[in-house]
Amino acid sequence: MCPVMQELDQKFTFAKRLCQLAGSKIMGLRLQNWDVRHKGTQVKIDADIIIEKFLIDEIRKSFPEDEIISEEEFETTPQKKQHKNYWLLDPIDGTSSFVKGYDGFCSQMAYIEDGQVIFGVVSVPAYNKIYYAKLNEGSFVEENGLIKKLGFGKLKEKFTYIDSSQANEETLKKLNKIGVENYLECGSFGVKLCFIAEGKADLLFKPVEFKTWDIAPGGLILREAGGEYLSINGEEIEYDLKKIHYHGLFAASSNELLNKLIDLKF
């Protein structure tokens, strides 16, 4: 194995272990009372900063030369971020669910090279699950020591959509046209994408702003399972740091289903 691939394998193994540790720490913080701050539509608590510091410190101990982009830190110093290769961190995705006592939150990270997601890891500690994928090597979920490869079979006729709240009547009528009959509640972008990859849900339509760290890990996991995602206006999500903010996400368990979702013209 060449040194570059060996180093990537080391980083991937490290990321899985670190994400699991972060998930355990998050569960330890769960019962505390947090002062909630609001930034636009986002919920912020000090637990986000605690987990972020833990992740950054651990990465810098093992890979001191690597660049790191993390949600909380980036929002205070966005102008200096112009890296080709970097770690992309979302310490707690689904903070609102975390605060409200729901289970749809995670800690997630990805590694980016030349604008491409090389690997992604999503720890969902309330479910005792960790999802991960490496580019062109498939995606997997690990639960209680058991590892399952993720992938889809024949396209279903009836579908489940996943979101943090049920769609309004107009949206539901459109979704019903392509066979959507069920709804699954989940707050975190990362967990939503992983649940689609695992087959717990089939599609996501989310007309809200998101950032690249919200979807990079789960997006790779979904694609490696055979699913797909795009921004609502049909553009690919880029990870070269030229653009961080996007508005609206489509995701589905297959290209065929994604195209059906896009054709509804929300």
Side-chain angles (χ1 to χ4, degrees):
M1 182 181 295
C2 72
V4 173
M5 293 302 296
Q6 187 174 19
E7 183 180 20
L8 279 175
D9 282 347
Q10 290 172 350
K11 288 179 178 180
F12 185 39
T13 300
F14 169 86
K16 289 187 285 185
R17 180 180 60 83
L18 181 59
C19 225
Q20 283 183 310
L21 290 173
S24 296
K25 283 186 173 290
I26 291 169
M27 293 302 287
L29 298 171
R30 196 176 188 188
L31 298 179
Q32 296 186 30
N33 292 320
W34 299 98
D35 292 328
V36 176
R37 305 181 299 277
H38 293 272
K39 185 175 181 179
T41 60
Q42 290 189 314
V43 171
K44 299 289 185 181
I45 57 175
D46 287 343
D48 293 294
I49 298 170
I50 292 169
I51 300 301
E52 178 180 75
K53 183 179 185 306
F54 166 71
L55 293 174
I56 291 175
D57 287 350
E58 292 300 310
I59 292 171
R60 285 180 175 155
K61 286 178 191 175
S62 295
F63 305 100
E65 302 301 317
D66 284 9
E67 303 291 350
I68 303 169
I69 306 292
S70 186
E71 177 180 9
E72 312 303 324
E73 190 260 355
F74 182 90
E75 292 180 349
T76 61
T77 55
Q79 69 282 356
K80 70 178 184 179
K81 307 303 183 184
Q82 301 296 330
H83 315 307
K84 290 179 66 177
N85 302 341
Y86 60 94
W87 293 82
L88 185 60
L89 312 180
D90 193 351
I92 302 179
D93 184 41
T95 304
S96 180
S97 293
F98 175 83
V99 169
K100 294 175 182 178
Y102 300 132
D103 292 337
F105 58 88
C106 68
S107 185
Q108 56 180 351
M109 63 180 65
Y111 188 74
I112 316 296
E113 281 192 350
D114 296 322
Q116 190 169 38
V117 184
I118 302 301
F119 63 72
V121 185
V122 179
S123 172
V124 190
Y127 290 88
N128 195 29
K129 289 185 175 185
I130 182 166
Y131 300 83
Y132 48 84
K134 196 174 180 184
L135 185 64
N136 299 323
E137 293 188 14
S139 56
F140 302 84
V141 59
E142 185 172 340
E143 182 180 11
N144 298 321
L146 299 176
I147 300 173
K148 180 178 75 172
K149 188 175 180 14
L150 302 178
F152 304 107
K154 185 179 178 181
L155 185 66
K156 296 185 287 188
E157 296 182 358
K158 303 300 179 183
F159 306 108
T160 297
Y161 81 94
I162 188 168
D163 204 347
S164 54
S165 60
Q166 291 205 48
N168 60 38
E169 185 175 351
E170 181 181 355
T171 300
L172 280 175
K173 285 181 179 178
K174 288 186 175 183
L175 291 173
N176 288 341
K177 291 179 181 178
I178 61 171
V180 173
E181 292 189 347
N182 300 303
Y183 160 71
L184 179 64
E185 188 278 331
C186 180
S188 154
F189 265 110
V191 181
K192 290 183 184 84
L193 293 170
C194 288
F195 277 7
I196 295 174
E198 194 178 5
K200 292 183 175 295
D202 303 292
L203 58 89
L204 166 67
F205 161 63
K206 194 68 175 174
V208 300
E209 182 183 89
F210 65 89
K211 287 88 170 177
T212 53
W213 48 72
D214 292 317
I215 64 162
L220 180 65
I221 291 163
L222 176 61
R223 279 182 172 166
E224 287 292 314
E228 190 53 271
Y229 69 95
L230 287 171
S231 71
I232 278 180
N233 63 11
E235 66 179 321
E236 287 277 350
I237 312 303
E238 303 290 342
Y239 297 99
D240 56 9
L241 295 178
K242 292 178 181 177
K243 185 175 181 180
I244 292 291
H245 298 77
Y246 290 84
H247 183 81
L249 185 72
F250 286 130
S253 57
S254 69
N255 274 305
E256 182 180 348
L257 184 56
L258 183 71
N259 289 331
K260 288 183 178 181
L261 187 60
I262 293 170
D263 288 344
L264 292 176
K265 301 187 184 303
F266 289 96

